[in-house]
Amino acid sequence: MNQFREFCRNLADSKPFTGIIISLILLNAVIIGLETYPSIYISNQNLFILADRVLLWIFTVEILIRLIGSKSISSFFKEPWNVFDFIIVASGHLVTGGHYVTVLRILRVLRVLRAISVIPSLRKMVNALLMTIPSMGTILLLLGIFFYIYGVIGTMLFQDVAPEYFGSLHASLLSLFQVVTLESWASGVMRPILEEDPSAWWFFVTFILIGTFVIFNLFVGVVVNNVEEASQEENPSPADLKLIEVQKELAEIKQLLKDNRRT
Amino acid sequence: MNQFREFCRNLADSKPFTGIIISLILLNAVIIGLETYPSIYISNQNLFILADRVLLWIFTVEILIRLIGSKSISSFFKEPWNVFDFIIVASGHLVTGGHYVTVLRILRVLRVLRAISVIPSLRKMVNALLMTIPSMGTILLLLGIFFYIYGVIGTMLFQDVAPEYFGSLHASLLSLFQVVTLESWASGVMRPILEEDPSAWWFFVTFILIGTFVIFNLFVGVVVNNVEEASQEENPSPADLKLIEVQKELAEIKQLLKDNRRT
Amino acid sequence: MNQFREFCRNLADSKPFTGIIISLILLNAVIIGLETYPSIYISNQNLFILADRVLLWIFTVEILIRLIGSKSISSFFKEPWNVFDFIIVASGHLVTGGHYVTVLRILRVLRVLRAISVIPSLRKMVNALLMTIPSMGTILLLLGIFFYIYGVIGTMLFQDVAPEYFGSLHASLLSLFQVVTLESWASGVMRPILEEDPSAWWFFVTFILIGTFVIFNLFVGVVVNNVEEASQEENPSPADLKLIEVQKELAEIKQLLKDNRRT
Amino acid sequence: MNQFREFCRNLADSKPFTGIIISLILLNAVIIGLETYPSIYISNQNLFILADRVLLWIFTVEILIRLIGSKSISSFFKEPWNVFDFIIVASGHLVTGGHYVTVLRILRVLRVLRAISVIPSLRKMVNALLMTIPSMGTILLLLGIFFYIYGVIGTMLFQDVAPEYFGSLHASLLSLFQVVTLESWASGVMRPILEEDPSAWWFFVTFILIGTFVIFNLFVGVVVNNVEEASQEENPSPADLKLIEVQKELAEIKQLLKDNRRT
C-alpha cells in the first residue's frame, strides 16, 4: 500500500504527467470551443459527448492519483487549489443532466480554469492577484457606501424621468456602474434626463469626480503596494554591500586596537 | 454629574456601543433602500415612518451621549466628524416636512455616510483622501483656467452650430467635461459640428491632448505623493539598521582609543 | 530717469500691484464670460466695449511698467513669459477690427492665460509641465510614424467602405485619434466596416493594442521621471543623516590616533 | 576587395549617408501619403510609379552597401533589424504586381517603418518596448484563459439573443475585447441583451471587474519594472558617495594604527 502511495506521489510530481494533463486541459478547451459552433456540434454530437466523458474520467483518475499521493486526505484539501480541482471535477459527475443543461455546460467550461491550478507560474500569479484583494477591503467598503447613497438618491430623483436607468435601486446601481466606467454617461444617461430636469448635472458630475478619484486612489494603493514589495524583494543595494565591507573593516580596526593594547 | 459624564465617556468608547450604532446605520441604510421600491413603501408606509423616527431618536441619544462624554462642548465640535454627525442628525429634526420632501429624503440618505464617522478605518481613509486635495490646489486652478478659456472659445465658435452642446457658457463647460472623459466626444459632439465647420477638429484634439495631459499629471502628482509618504512611513531599511551597528562599533573603538591613551 | 526706473521695478515687484493685476485679469475673464450670453451682451454692448478698452490699456501700462523696471529691454524679452504677455497685449491693439472678429475675440480670451504668467505658483507648474515635453520627443516621433502608417493603410483599405471615417489621409488620422481614445471605436467605426469587410477587425485590434501600449509607456516614462525628480529633491534621508554622523566620528577617531602617535 | 569592403563600412557608418537615407524614407512616406488622394494619384500615376521604383533601388543599394560593409553575411543577418530591412526591401522586388495589389501597397507603407531601424534613438526605444513583452508572458496567458472562458460562456448564453455580438466564439472574443475597452459595453452590448435576459448583467459586470483588474495589474508590472530599471541605472546616490569617503577614511585609520604598532 505504501509502495503504491509512493508511486502515486512520484507520478503526480513528474514532469510528463503534468505535461499530459496540461495538454488534455487544452484539448478540453478546444473541444468546448468547437461545441459552440452549432454546425460542428450537431454533426458530431456523439463524438463530443464521448470526448467529454473520457476527459472527465481521466481528470478524475488524475485527482485520485494526486489524492493518494498526498500525505493525508486532510493535507490534500488544505491547499485551496486542490479543493477547486476536486469541486470542478466532482461537479462533472454530479450534475450530469436533466434540466440544468446551462449550469452543466458552464461547469464544463470552468474546467479550463484548471490550467491555472496545474501550471505553477499561473498559480503563483493568481495567488498574488488574490492577495491584493484584502488590502483593498476598506476602500471597497467606502466605494460600496458611495454607490449605495448615490443609488438611493438617483432612484429617488430620476425614478419617473428615466425608468430604464433609475427605475429601481438595483437598476440604479447598474447604471451607476456604467457611469463610473464613463460609458455613454453623458450621451446615453445624463442628457436625456437633463431635458426634463436641467439641474441633474450635479448628480452625474459629482458622482464621476468622486467615483474616479476614489477608484484611482484604490489603484494607487495597489501600485504603491507592488512597488514596495518589489523593492523589498530586491537584491541588496550597492549601499548595503558597501556597509558590509565597512563593518568588516571596523572589526579589523577594533582587533588591531585590542592587539595594540596588549603589547 | 461627573460620574454621569464618566459613564457616558466609557459607554461612547465601548465596543458594543459602536457595534450597535454601526448595525443601526446599516439597518437605516436597508430601510432607505427598501423605501425606493414603491410597492413595498406604499403598503408599509406607517412602518417606514415609525422606523425612521425611532432611528433618528436613537442617533440623537447617541450624539448626546458622545457630547456629554467629551471633555467640553467646544472640544466635541473641534473634531469635524462630530460636527458632521451633529448636522446630519439635527437636520433630521429640523427639516421634518412640508414642501422640502426631496431635501428631507436626501438628508436621510446622507445618514448612511455616518458609517464613515463611526467606523475608524473608514474615517482614517477618508481623512487621508481629503488630505490629498490641498496639494492639488494649483493644478485644479490651472485646469479651471484651461476649461474656462476653452468654454468661452467653444461658446463663441459653436453657439449657432451646436446649441445643445455649446449654446451657453455653462452648457459648454458641461460638454467639455463630457469631452475630457472621452465620452462620445467624437461620435456625439465633434462629428456633427465637423459637418458644418470642417476646421473644428483642432478645438477638440488640442483640448483632449492638453486636458488629458494636465489631468494625468495631476494624478501622477498624487501617486508620487503617496509613494513618498509610504516610503517615509516604512520601517527602517536594512541600510539604516546596519548604520546603527556601525555607529555602535565606532563608539566602542573611540572608547578603546581613549583607554589606550590613558594607559 | 534711473529713479523712475527704480520706482517701476519696485512697483512691478510689489504685492498690491500683482494683486490688482490678478483681480483685473479675473474681472476680464468674467466680462468675457458674460459676453457669450447674447441677451446680456446686446443690451450692454457699449459697456462691454468700453470695459475691454480700459482693461487693455491698463494691461498695456502694466507691461510698460515691467518693461521699464527691467534691467534692459533684451533681458525683459529673454523671459518667455514676458514675450507671451507682450504678444497677448500687443495683439489687442493691432487686431482691432474689421473682418477678423473671431480671431480678435479668441485673442481676447487668451488674456485670461496671463493669470499663469502673473501667479508665480501657476507659472512654476506650467514650466514644469512644459519641461516634460522634450523628454517625450522620441516616443512622440514613434507615435507619429505609427499613426501615419495606420493612417495610410486605413485610407487604402476603407476609402470606399467608410468614406466618412477613412475618406482621405487627414480624415483617417482624425479617426485613428478617435479610435485610440477608445471613443465609439467599435460601435461607431469598426462594426459598420466589418459588415462589408469581415476581416477588418485585425486593423482596429492591432492598432488599439499597439497604440495604447505605446501611449501607456509614454505615460510611464513621465511618471518615472517625476518620481525620480521628486526623490532627488527630497530632504536628506535618515541614512544620509546617519552617515554624516559616522563621518564626524571617524574624523574624531583619526584625530585621537594622531594625538596618540605624537605622545 | 577588402578595400571596397572597408569603403562600404565607412560609408554605411557615415553621418551624411544615414541622413540621406532618413530623408529618402521621409520622402517615401510623403509620396505614399499623397498616393492615397485619388485626384493627385491619377493625374501623376507615372511619376508615382517612377519615384517608387527609384526609391526601391536606392534602398536596395543601401542594404547592399551595409551588407558588404559588415564582417560577414551571417553577422549581418544576426541583427534582427537588418533582417527586417532586408525583408521589407526584398519584398518590394518580389511582389511586384498582378493580383496582390493591396499586399504590395501595404508592404510599401511598411517601408516607413525603416525609419525605426535607421534612427538610432527610435531603434533603442522600440527595442526597449519589445523587451517588456516577455515579462508579460504569464499575465497574457492568464488574460487569454480568462477571455476564452468568458467567450465560450458568452456564446453559449447569448448566441440567440444577440447574434451580432455573440453569434460565434470568434465574434464573442471580439465583442469581449470591445467590452474590456469599455466602448459601448452597456449602451450597445449589455442593455439590449438585458431586455431579453434580465440576469445577464453579472456576465458583463464580473467580466469588466476581473478584466480591468488583471489588465491594470499587467500595467502595474510594467511600471514597477521600469521604475526599478531606472533606479538601477541611476548615478550613485548621495549615500553611496558618502560611503566611499567613509571607506577611504577607514583605510587611513587602519594604516595609522599599523604605523603606531610598528613604532
Side-chain angles (χ1 to χ4, degrees):
Chain A
M1 185 63 203
N2 261 341
Q3 218 173 347
F4 179 60
R5 204 168 205 163
E6 192 70 27
F7 172 77
C8 285
R9 189 176 308 160
N10 291 337
L11 185 62
D13 290 351
S14 69
K15 284 236 159 160
F17 183 78
T18 313
I20 289 167
I21 295 301
I22 292 173
S23 314
L24 288 175
I25 290 171
L26 199 76
L27 179 69
N28 198 13
V30 172
I31 288 170
I32 288 164
L34 287 175
E35 273 185 43
T36 62
Y37 292 89
S39 56
I40 299 172
Y41 184 64
I42 289 161
S43 55
N44 299 290
Q45 205 163 354
N46 291 328
L47 208 72
F48 277 117
I49 291 169
L50 182 72
D52 186 67
R53 287 277 90 191
V54 170
L55 282 168
L56 182 62
W57 277 107
I58 293 174
F59 292 144
T60 310
V61 170
E62 179 227 336
I63 300 279
L64 281 175
I65 288 171
R66 279 175 35 208
L67 184 59
I68 295 165
S70 65
K71 278 176 209 157
S72 66
I73 291 178
S74 65
S75 79
F76 179 81
F77 285 111
K78 246 178 209 161
E79 167 67 37
W81 286 110
N82 288 339
V83 177
F84 173 78
D85 282 359
F86 184 81
I87 291 169
I88 289 289
V89 171
S91 65
H93 290 287
L94 293 172
V95 199
T96 30
H99 306 297
Y100 307 103
V101 182
T102 313
V103 174
L104 171 67
R105 293 182 79 185
I106 289 179
L107 277 170
R108 260 166 55 206
V109 178
L110 291 181
R111 267 186 234 158
V112 181
L113 273 180
R114 289 203 53 226
I116 295 170
S117 73
V118 175
I119 303 174
S121 64
L122 271 181
R123 195 167 164 168
K124 207 178 142 190
M125 170 161 286
V126 172
N127 280 339
L129 288 179
L130 291 175
M131 294 241 293
T132 59
I133 291 172
S135 70
M136 296 183 199
T138 317
I139 211 157
L140 286 178
L141 180 60
L142 183 64
L143 215 56
I145 293 171
F146 166 71
F147 261 76
Y148 191 79
I149 290 174
Y150 266 89
V152 172
I153 295 177
T155 315
M156 275 163 31
L157 295 178
F158 311 129
Q159 203 157 27
D160 306 320
V161 181
E164 73 276 30
Y165 291 116
F166 294 98
S168 63
L169 185 54
H170 51 265
S172 295
L173 290 173
L174 188 58
S175 298
L176 288 178
F177 182 69
Q178 174 182 346
V179 169
V180 101
T181 64
L182 302 177
E183 202 277 292
S184 295
W185 74 266
S187 61
V189 183
M190 184 186 67
R191 288 195 184 273
I193 290 174
L194 274 191
E195 269 166 40
E196 305 244 346
D197 176 0
S199 68
W201 62 267
W202 68 264
F203 180 81
F204 295 97
V205 172
T206 58
F207 180 75
I208 287 174
L209 289 178
I210 302 174
T212 52
F213 181 68
V214 172
I215 291 175
F216 176 73
N217 269 279
L218 175 74
F219 281 177
V220 166
V222 179
V223 177
V224 171
N225 229 33
N226 272 280
V227 172
E228 264 176 48
E229 267 171 39
S231 69
Q232 275 167 13
E233 283 172 16
E234 246 183 340
N235 299 326
S237 71
D240 286 341
L241 294 173
K242 280 213 189 73
L243 274 171
I244 291 169
E245 282 177 42
V246 165
Q247 286 183 311
K248 271 190 207 160
E249 201 88 330
L250 280 173
E252 280 184 48
I253 289 173
K254 212 165 144 188
Q255 195 54 46
L256 274 172
L257 273 171
K258 281 183 184 157
D259 292 358
N260 275 8
R261 209 181 195 177
R262 259 173 247 151
T263 53
Chain B
M1 184 63 201
N2 260 342
Q3 215 173 350
F4 180 59
R5 204 169 206 162
E6 193 69 27
F7 171 75
C8 284
R9 188 175 309 159
N10 290 338
L11 184 62
D13 291 351
S14 71
K15 285 236 159 161
F17 183 77
T18 314
I20 288 166
I21 295 300
I22 294 174
S23 313
L24 289 174
I25 290 171
L26 198 76
L27 179 69
N28 198 14
V30 171
I31 288 171
I32 288 163
L34 287 175
E35 274 184 43
T36 62
Y37 292 89
S39 57
I40 299 172
Y41 184 64
I42 288 160
S43 55
N44 300 289
Q45 204 163 354
N46 291 327
L47 208 71
F48 277 117
I49 290 170
L50 180 72
D52 186 67
R53 287 277 91 191
V54 169
L55 282 169
L56 181 62
W57 278 108
I58 293 174
F59 292 144
T60 310
V61 170
E62 179 226 337
I63 301 279
L64 280 175
I65 288 171
R66 278 174 37 209
L67 184 59
I68 294 164
S70 66
K71 278 177 211 154
S72 67
I73 291 178
S74 64
S75 80
F76 179 80
F77 285 111
K78 246 178 209 163
E79 167 67 36
W81 285 110
N82 288 340
V83 178
F84 174 78
D85 281 358
F86 184 82
I87 291 170
I88 289 290
V89 172
S91 64
H93 290 287
L94 294 172
V95 200
T96 29
H99 305 298
Y100 307 102
V101 181
T102 313
V103 174
L104 171 68
R105 293 181 77 185
I106 290 179
L107 277 170
R108 259 166 55 206
V109 178
L110 292 181
R111 267 186 235 158
V112 181
L113 273 180
R114 289 203 54 227
I116 296 170
S117 73
V118 175
I119 303 173
S121 64
L122 271 180
R123 195 167 165 166
K124 207 178 143 191
M125 170 161 285
V126 172
N127 280 340
L129 288 179
L130 291 175
M131 294 242 293
T132 59
I133 292 172
S135 71
M136 296 184 199
T138 316
I139 211 157
L140 286 179
L141 180 61
L142 183 64
L143 215 56
I145 293 171
F146 167 71
F147 261 75
Y148 191 79
I149 289 173
Y150 266 89
V152 172
I153 295 177
T155 314
M156 273 162 33
L157 294 178
F158 310 129
Q159 202 157 28
D160 306 320
V161 181
E164 73 275 31
Y165 291 116
F166 293 99
S168 63
L169 185 54
H170 51 265
S172 295
L173 290 174
L174 187 58
S175 299
L176 288 178
F177 182 69
Q178 174 181 346
V179 169
V180 101
T181 63
L182 301 177
E183 201 279 290
S184 295
W185 73 266
S187 62
V189 184
M190 184 187 67
R191 289 195 183 274
I193 291 174
L194 273 192
E195 269 167 41
E196 306 243 347
D197 176 358
S199 68
W201 61 268
W202 68 265
F203 179 82
F204 295 97
V205 172
T206 59
F207 180 76
I208 287 173
L209 289 178
I210 302 174
T212 51
F213 181 69
V214 172
I215 290 174
F216 176 73
N217 268 279
L218 175 74
F219 281 176
V220 166
V222 179
V223 177
V224 170
N225 230 33
N226 273 281
V227 172
E228 264 176 48
E229 266 171 39
S231 69
Q232 275 168 14
E233 283 171 16
E234 245 182 340
N235 300 325
S237 71
D240 285 343
L241 293 173
K242 281 214 189 72
L243 273 171
I244 290 168
E245 283 177 41
V246 165
Q247 285 182 312
K248 272 189 206 159
E249 200 87 332
L250 280 173
E252 281 183 46
I253 290 173
K254 212 164 141 186
Q255 196 53 47
L256 274 173
L257 274 171
K258 282 185 183 155
D259 293 355
N260 275 7
R261 211 181 194 176
R262 260 172 246 151
T263 53
Chain C
M1 185 64 201
N2 260 341
Q3 216 173 348
F4 180 60
R5 203 168 207 163
E6 192 69 25
F7 171 77
C8 284
R9 189 175 307 159
N10 290 338
L11 184 62
D13 290 351
S14 70
K15 284 237 158 158
F17 183 78
T18 315
I20 289 166
I21 295 300
I22 293 174
S23 313
L24 289 174
I25 290 170
L26 198 76
L27 179 70
N28 199 12
V30 171
I31 288 170
I32 289 164
L34 288 175
E35 274 184 41
T36 61
Y37 291 88
S39 57
I40 298 172
Y41 183 64
I42 288 160
S43 56
N44 300 290
Q45 204 163 355
N46 291 327
L47 209 71
F48 277 117
I49 291 170
L50 181 72
D52 186 66
R53 287 277 90 193
V54 169
L55 282 168
L56 182 62
W57 277 108
I58 293 174
F59 292 144
T60 312
V61 170
E62 179 226 338
I63 301 279
L64 280 175
I65 288 170
R66 277 170 41 206
L67 184 58
I68 294 165
S70 67
K71 278 177 211 156
S72 66
I73 291 178
S74 64
S75 80
F76 179 81
F77 285 111
K78 246 177 209 162
E79 167 66 35
W81 285 111
N82 288 339
V83 178
F84 174 79
D85 282 359
F86 184 81
I87 291 170
I88 289 290
V89 172
S91 64
H93 289 287
L94 293 172
V95 199
T96 29
H99 305 298
Y100 307 102
V101 181
T102 313
V103 174
L104 171 67
R105 293 182 77 185
I106 289 179
L107 277 169
R108 260 169 53 207
V109 178
L110 291 181
R111 267 187 234 159
V112 181
L113 273 180
R114 289 202 54 225
I116 296 170
S117 73
V118 175
I119 303 173
S121 64
L122 271 180
R123 197 168 166 165
K124 208 178 141 190
M125 171 161 285
V126 172
N127 280 340
L129 288 179
L130 290 175
M131 294 242 292
T132 59
I133 291 171
S135 70
M136 297 184 198
T138 317
I139 212 157
L140 286 178
L141 180 60
L142 183 64
L143 214 57
I145 293 172
F146 167 71
F147 261 76
Y148 191 79
I149 290 174
Y150 266 89
V152 172
I153 294 177
T155 314
M156 273 163 32
L157 294 178
F158 311 129
Q159 203 157 27
D160 306 320
V161 182
E164 73 277 29
Y165 290 116
F166 294 97
S168 63
L169 185 54
H170 51 264
S172 296
L173 290 173
L174 187 58
S175 299
L176 288 178
F177 182 70
Q178 175 183 346
V179 169
V180 101
T181 63
L182 302 177
E183 201 278 291
S184 294
W185 75 266
S187 61
V189 183
M190 185 187 67
R191 287 195 184 273
I193 290 174
L194 273 192
E195 269 167 40
E196 306 245 346
D197 176 359
S199 69
W201 62 268
W202 68 265
F203 180 82
F204 295 98
V205 172
T206 60
F207 180 77
I208 286 173
L209 289 178
I210 302 174
T212 51
F213 181 68
V214 171
I215 290 174
F216 176 73
N217 268 279
L218 176 73
F219 280 177
V220 166
V222 178
V223 177
V224 170
N225 229 34
N226 272 281
V227 173
E228 264 177 47
E229 267 171 40
S231 68
Q232 274 168 14
E233 283 171 16
E234 245 182 343
N235 299 326
S237 71
D240 285 342
L241 294 173
K242 281 213 189 72
L243 273 170
I244 290 168
E245 284 176 42
V246 165
Q247 286 183 311
K248 271 190 206 158
E249 201 87 331
L250 280 174
E252 280 182 47
I253 291 173
K254 213 165 139 186
Q255 196 53 46
L256 275 173
L257 274 171
K258 282 185 185 157
D259 293 356
N260 275 7
R261 212 180 191 179
R262 258 172 249 152
T263 52
Chain D
M1 186 61 204
N2 260 342
Q3 217 173 347
F4 180 59
R5 205 169 205 162
E6 193 70 26
F7 171 76
C8 285
R9 189 176 308 161
N10 290 338
L11 186 61
D13 290 351
S14 69
K15 284 237 158 159
F17 183 78
T18 314
I20 289 167
I21 295 299
I22 293 174
S23 314
L24 289 174
I25 290 170
L26 199 76
L27 179 69
N28 199 12
V30 171
I31 288 171
I32 288 165
L34 288 174
E35 274 185 42
T36 61
Y37 292 89
S39 56
I40 299 172
Y41 184 65
I42 288 160
S43 54
N44 300 291
Q45 204 162 357
N46 291 327
L47 209 71
F48 277 116
I49 291 170
L50 181 72
D52 186 66
R53 288 277 91 193
V54 169
L55 283 167
L56 182 62
W57 277 107
I58 293 174
F59 292 144
T60 311
V61 171
E62 179 227 338
I63 300 279
L64 281 176
I65 288 171
R66 277 171 40 206
L67 183 59
I68 294 165
S70 66
K71 279 176 209 157
S72 67
I73 290 178
S74 65
S75 80
F76 179 81
F77 285 111
K78 246 178 210 162
E79 167 66 36
W81 286 110
N82 289 338
V83 178
F84 174 78
D85 282 359
F86 184 82
I87 290 169
I88 290 290
V89 171
S91 65
H93 289 287
L94 293 172
V95 199
T96 32
H99 306 298
Y100 307 102
V101 181
T102 312
V103 174
L104 171 66
R105 293 183 77 185
I106 289 179
L107 277 170
R108 260 167 53 206
V109 178
L110 291 182
R111 268 187 233 158
V112 180
L113 273 181
R114 288 203 54 227
I116 295 169
S117 73
V118 175
I119 303 174
S121 65
L122 271 181
R123 195 167 166 167
K124 207 178 142 191
M125 171 162 284
V126 172
N127 280 341
L129 288 179
L130 291 174
M131 294 242 292
T132 59
I133 291 172
S135 71
M136 296 183 199
T138 316
I139 211 158
L140 286 178
L141 180 60
L142 183 64
L143 214 55
I145 292 171
F146 167 70
F147 261 76
Y148 191 79
I149 289 174
Y150 266 89
V152 172
I153 294 177
T155 315
M156 274 162 33
L157 295 177
F158 311 129
Q159 203 157 28
D160 305 321
V161 181
E164 72 277 29
Y165 290 116
F166 294 98
S168 64
L169 185 54
H170 50 265
S172 296
L173 290 173
L174 188 58
S175 298
L176 288 178
F177 182 70
Q178 175 183 345
V179 169
V180 101
T181 63
L182 302 177
E183 202 278 291
S184 294
W185 74 266
S187 62
V189 184
M190 184 187 68
R191 289 197 182 272
I193 291 173
L194 273 192
E195 269 166 40
E196 306 245 345
D197 176 359
S199 68
W201 62 268
W202 67 264
F203 179 82
F204 295 98
V205 172
T206 58
F207 180 76
I208 286 174
L209 288 178
I210 301 174
T212 51
F213 182 68
V214 172
I215 290 175
F216 176 73
N217 269 279
L218 175 73
F219 281 176
V220 166
V222 179
V223 176
V224 171
N225 229 33
N226 272 281
V227 173
E228 265 176 47
E229 267 171 40
S231 69
Q232 275 167 15
E233 283 171 16
E234 246 183 341
N235 300 325
S237 71
D240 285 343
L241 294 174
K242 281 214 189 71
L243 273 171
I244 290 169
E245 282 177 42
V246 165
Q247 286 183 311
K248 272 190 206 159
E249 202 87 331
L250 281 173
E252 280 183 48
I253 289 172
K254 213 165 142 187
Q255 196 53 46
L256 274 172
L257 274 170
K258 282 185 184 157
D259 292 356
N260 275 8
R261 210 180 194 177
R262 260 173 246 151
T263 52

